[in-house]
Amino acid sequence: MRKLLLLVLLVNPLILPADNDENKTHHRVGFNGALTSSYSWLLEFSYHYMFNDYIGLGGSVGSWKVWYEEGWASGKNWNIDEDDNKPCNFYIRPSVILKTPALNYSGCSWSLFAESGVMLNILYQRVGIESTSNFPYVEYDYVSTSQGQWLAWDLRVGVSLECGPCGVSAGYLMSNHDVYSQYRHLSYNGISFRDFYPRKPFMQGAYLSLSYNF
């Protein structure tokens, strides 16, 4: 990360005007997605203001969800509702983009990029509980929490291809986002969910972005 930043500073120092070309685009919007090692996916819409060809500042809004759960909270005559057993959340993510000088070929440009951000999750989770104490009748109850991890950092690195105003980026994502953090703070009938869901302090995955510059 430090080497990439140093390269950007050497090529186009930030103390100089970012761009003297009035036709140069500064706005970058993107639709981004990722699959992670925590069996989760994320989708987001992003916007960055590009000060020049090498650095941009902005953020994104999105959501994530676990698609394959690794735990199941249950007890005597009760269990978490199946539809609520896959954690999910909405978030905002301020971030900065750094890009290397581009290699131009056949009207397109290739470059390396690094994007560092902070994911800010909604600090609230509510799940349904199925109770079979009066079987065959099933009763429903709800538990919620406002505890757990609400802030997580992440870093995305990879290759970017731009042809005219359109671009595509693909690469590697790593983060300390723990998808089960809030679920481990839930409890029902005096039983904590902590032992049902694993602790995942490190997450990695594959990242893809489609962008448009204007």
Side-chain angles (χ1 to χ4, degrees):
M1 189 68 176
R2 292 179 179 177
K3 293 180 179 180
L4 181 61
L5 180 58
L6 179 60
L7 179 60
V8 171
L9 293 176
L10 289 174
V11 174
N12 196 348
L14 298 180
I15 59 175
L16 296 178
D19 202 336
N20 293 322
D21 186 357
E22 294 181 356
N23 297 321
K24 188 67 178 178
T25 58
H26 291 282
H27 307 281
R28 180 183 185 273
V29 294
F31 183 71
N32 317 317
L35 291 175
T36 78
S37 59
S38 296
Y39 300 110
S40 65
W41 54 258
L42 66 84
L43 293 174
E44 64 184 29
F45 176 80
S46 64
Y47 168 81
H48 289 85
Y49 182 83
M50 303 301 296
F51 296 99
N52 49 42
D53 290 334
Y54 313 107
I55 186 167
L57 183 65
S60 56
V61 293
S63 65
W64 61 266
K65 184 174 183 177
V66 171
W67 55 269
Y68 177 79
E69 64 267 46
E70 297 183 79
W72 193 281
S74 61
K76 185 178 181 180
N77 299 324
W78 67 269
N79 61 265
I80 188 172
D81 183 78
E82 181 178 1
D83 293 336
D84 289 337
N85 199 44
K86 296 180 175 67
C88 61
N89 211 331
F90 293 96
Y91 63 88
I92 59 174
R93 178 181 173 270
S95 61
V96 59
I97 293 178
L98 300 176
K99 298 177 65 177
T100 63
L103 175 64
N104 296 310
Y105 180 77
S106 297
C108 297
S109 60
W110 295 83
S111 60
L112 301 178
F113 78 92
E115 181 179 348
S116 181
V118 178
M119 178 186 287
L120 306 174
N121 286 281
I122 297 176
L123 197 58
Y124 180 78
Q125 284 284 359
R126 181 175 182 263
V127 302
I129 301 294
E130 295 181 351
S131 174
T132 56
S133 299
N134 298 319
F135 188 82
Y137 300 102
V138 178
E139 299 175 343
Y140 288 88
D141 199 0
Y142 294 91
V143 294
S144 62
T145 182
S146 293
Q147 301 182 59
Q149 183 188 35
W150 65 275
L151 182 151
W153 66 268
D154 67 31
L155 176 64
R156 304 169 183 181
V157 294
V159 178
S160 177
L161 169 65
E162 293 185 350
C163 297
C166 301
V168 59
S169 303
Y172 170 76
L173 173 153
M174 57 183 172
S175 172
N176 69 338
H177 181 214
D178 186 344
V179 295
Y180 291 108
S181 173
Q182 289 178 294
Y183 269 41
R184 293 198 304 273
H185 285 83
L186 294 167
S187 63
Y188 184 74
N189 281 351
I191 299 178
S192 172
F193 288 14
R194 184 174 300 275
D195 295 332
F196 296 101
Y197 298 101
R199 183 173 180 270
K200 290 183 168 293
F202 179 75
M203 180 176 73
Q204 56 187 336
Y207 166 79
L208 179 68
S209 174
L210 302 177
S211 61
Y212 184 80
N213 302 291
F214 62 97

